[in-house]
Amino acid sequence: MAETTDVIIVGAGVVGCSIAFHLAQKGVKRVVVLDRGEIGGEASGAAAGMLAPQCEAAGPGPFLDFCLAARQYYERLAPMLKDFAHVDIEYLSWGILYLLDEEGDEAAEGRYRWQKELGLAVERLTPEEVGKLEPGLTKEIAGALFFPGDHHVNNTELTRALAQAARALGVDIVEGSPVTGFLYEGDRVAGVRTPQEIYTAGQVVLCTGAWSGQIGALLGRRIPVEPARGQILYAELAEPPLRHPVWGRGGYLVPRLNGGLVVGSNVEYVGFEKTVTLGGINLFSSLALALLPGLAGQPFTRAWAGFRPHSKDGLPIIGPLQDLAGLYIATGHFRNGILLGPLTGRLVAEMMLGESPSSSLDAFSPGRFGL
Ligand SMILES: Cc1cc2nc3c(=O)[nH]c(=O)nc-3n(C[C@H](O)[C@H](O)[C@H](O)COP(=O)(O)OP(=O)(O)OC[C@H]3O[C@@H](n4cnc5c(N)ncnc54)[C@H](O)[C@@H]3O)c2cc1C
């Protein structure tokens, strides 16, 4: 017997859980989320949790606009998730520090200039001012840019909260349930198959992150997304050694409220090889000690790797597929899926219900890849 529902979402990362939550919040009664593994078990659980459009974006344009809108959406989302899921996502709006190179940093200067011209908040800090904000940081710095509007969040709690909020509104999330095929009715998608079950629905959304190319192959489509591995080192300390996330010297340090310190990350194109390498451990422990010399005697807790979904042009792919009615895709969020996932969920829900999206997704249409 097939299970019948209104919407099937494939993938329970931040993107899939957010779409489910927003659809349920808008009154869609029957939503099923299927994940091969666990809720937040892949990139969404592996991330560092920065909400950092000003640290990340290369310049003005639709991607920056989307990132800024997504950052702002957190102000509404965090209290909403407390209400619906009773989870504190540790949304901390304290700003992010971006350390400058000793020998002059043209890229940072350029970033400072274009952001000032756009009217975005960015400050140049002297080494003494940085030291006042973060006394534990090395004194061997040339200063920093401070982005007071960039924030951070606990990404594991965020994904858990979105899933819990969706469940509280009646969404069924089934873990350990890989989608292995699709059902069709003429030129419409009509459902999916898993090894255990057949699910039928009028609308299916693919939120399979780095595995989007593989699920595309099941549909006979080339979805141009590849995995971009990132490694993270984690130390659990008695107290957070920093208040702000700090970028510098090729990586970043992100404090958690419980004393955890996330140190990352690199971008490696090595397929789905989920290993933490000796080179990765060396790179990130050296970075942590260079920036926070006082950490040398602290215990190492663990390390992990995750796969960012990297599309061919580095931008998200969000929207309906052209010649298969009822099928949507939301993937390719690459380094910014924690930032963009919540707003993506809201916009996709609006789109699926025939509402005009509250921010433009035109630049991210699957149509640009002929999908
Ligand atoms: C090391 C690292 C650091 C990062 N730091 C940040 C950061 O600081 N800020 C930020 O904004 N972003 C960051 N990111 C990026 C962010 O984590 C991702 O962009 C985001 O999590 C992608 O979310 P997703 O839901 O698309 O994918 P995922 O979280 O990977 O979820 C996809 C889900 O689909 C499931 N799936 C796949 N195939 C199938 C199938 N056939 N059937 C059923 N289920 C399937 C998988 O099991 C998985 O759970 C980081 C990523 C990494 C790896």
Side-chain angles (χ1 to χ4, degrees):
M1 273 288 286
E3 186 174 322
T4 302
T5 183
D6 295 323
V7 178
I8 297 162
I9 295 170
V10 189
V14 66
V15 174
C17 291
S18 177
I19 296 173
F21 167 61
H22 287 91
L23 283 171
Q25 211 194 10
K26 284 176 171 291
V28 179
K29 289 274 173 287
R30 297 177 305 173
V31 179
V32 173
V33 184
L34 302 171
D35 198 290
R36 232 180 29 166
E38 295 170 3
I39 294 165
E42 295 292 349
S44 302
M50 282 176 294
L51 312 175
Q54 290 183 245
C55 281
E56 286 265 352
F63 184 64
L64 177 69
D65 295 343
F66 186 28
C67 288
L68 292 173
R71 188 179 73 181
Q72 193 168 355
Y73 186 51
Y74 266 88
E75 285 170 27
R76 282 176 57 191
L77 181 84
M80 212 149 63
L81 290 178
K82 234 183 207 151
D83 282 353
F84 281 104
H86 310 291
V87 176
D88 178 1
I89 61 170
E90 298 170 28
Y91 168 60
L92 301 172
S93 49
W94 297 342
I96 297 187
L97 281 167
Y98 185 104
L99 301 184
L100 300 175
D101 284 345
E102 307 275 350
E103 59 277 359
D105 193 329
E106 277 179 36
E109 273 308 313
R111 189 174 292 261
Y112 177 85
R113 264 197 310 276
W114 70 254
Q115 296 198 3
K116 274 279 178 206
E117 278 162 23
L118 283 184
L120 295 171
V122 46
E123 297 163 26
R124 252 198 218 103
L125 303 186
T126 63
E128 294 69 34
E129 288 168 326
V130 176
K132 276 194 193 133
L133 279 182
E134 291 295 354
L137 268 185
T138 172
K139 307 293 174 242
E140 309 286 305
I141 54 170
L145 297 184
F146 180 52
F147 300 105
D150 276 358
H151 305 317
H152 67 297
V153 72
N154 182 325
N155 46 287
T156 309
E157 291 301 282
L158 168 70
T159 313
R160 188 170 77 84
L162 285 165
Q164 207 156 298
R167 277 180 164 155
L169 292 169
V171 171
D172 186 14
I173 304 181
V174 190
E175 297 174 289
S177 202
V179 167
T180 51
F182 291 84
L183 312 176
Y184 305 93
E185 271 172 23
D187 59 1
R188 287 198 68 82
V189 69
V192 304
R193 278 173 211 287
T194 72
Q196 303 89 2
E197 194 83 59
I198 287 176
Y199 296 85
T200 62
Q203 290 180 310
V204 176
V205 196
L206 307 180
C207 308
T208 41
W211 294 266
S212 299
Q214 296 182 353
I215 202 126
L218 295 177
L219 287 157
R221 323 248 146 167
R222 224 198 133 260
I223 300 175
V225 171
E226 65 178 328
R229 185 174 73 186
Q231 302 185 42
I232 296 266
L233 212 73
Y234 184 72
E236 234 158 59
L237 310 170
E239 286 185 5
L242 294 168
R243 188 171 146 84
H244 307 85
V246 175
W247 282 63
R249 310 211 181 146
Y252 50 71
L253 312 182
V254 183
R256 297 271 190 252
L257 278 183
N258 67 356
L261 182 71
V262 173
V263 188
S265 186
N266 47 358
V267 178
E268 301 168 296
Y269 295 94
V270 292
F272 287 101
E273 184 66 53
K274 203 191 247 182
T275 26
V276 175
T277 62
L278 293 174
I281 291 184
N282 180 36
L283 185 66
F284 298 119
S285 60
S286 303
L287 174 72
L289 295 182
L291 296 184
L292 288 172
L295 286 189
Q298 295 293 329
F300 158 75
T301 310
R302 60 180 192 274
W304 62 79
F307 299 115
R308 306 174 187 89
H310 182 223
S311 77
K312 200 169 172 186
D313 60 8
L315 296 175
I317 309 175
I318 305 171
L321 264 65
Q322 281 167 359
D323 54 358
L324 192 54
L327 191 72
Y328 294 78
I329 184 166
T331 186
H333 293 75
F334 193 35
R335 298 171 62 107
N336 291 286
I338 301 303
L339 168 67
L340 296 171
L343 183 60
T344 297
R346 177 170 140 211
L347 299 178
V348 171
E350 289 168 350
M351 188 187 269
M352 291 175 74
L353 294 173
E355 300 167 12
S356 48
S358 43
S359 301
S360 171
L361 287 172
D362 293 351
F364 315 115
S365 155
R368 73 189 192 277
F369 295 120
L371 290 168

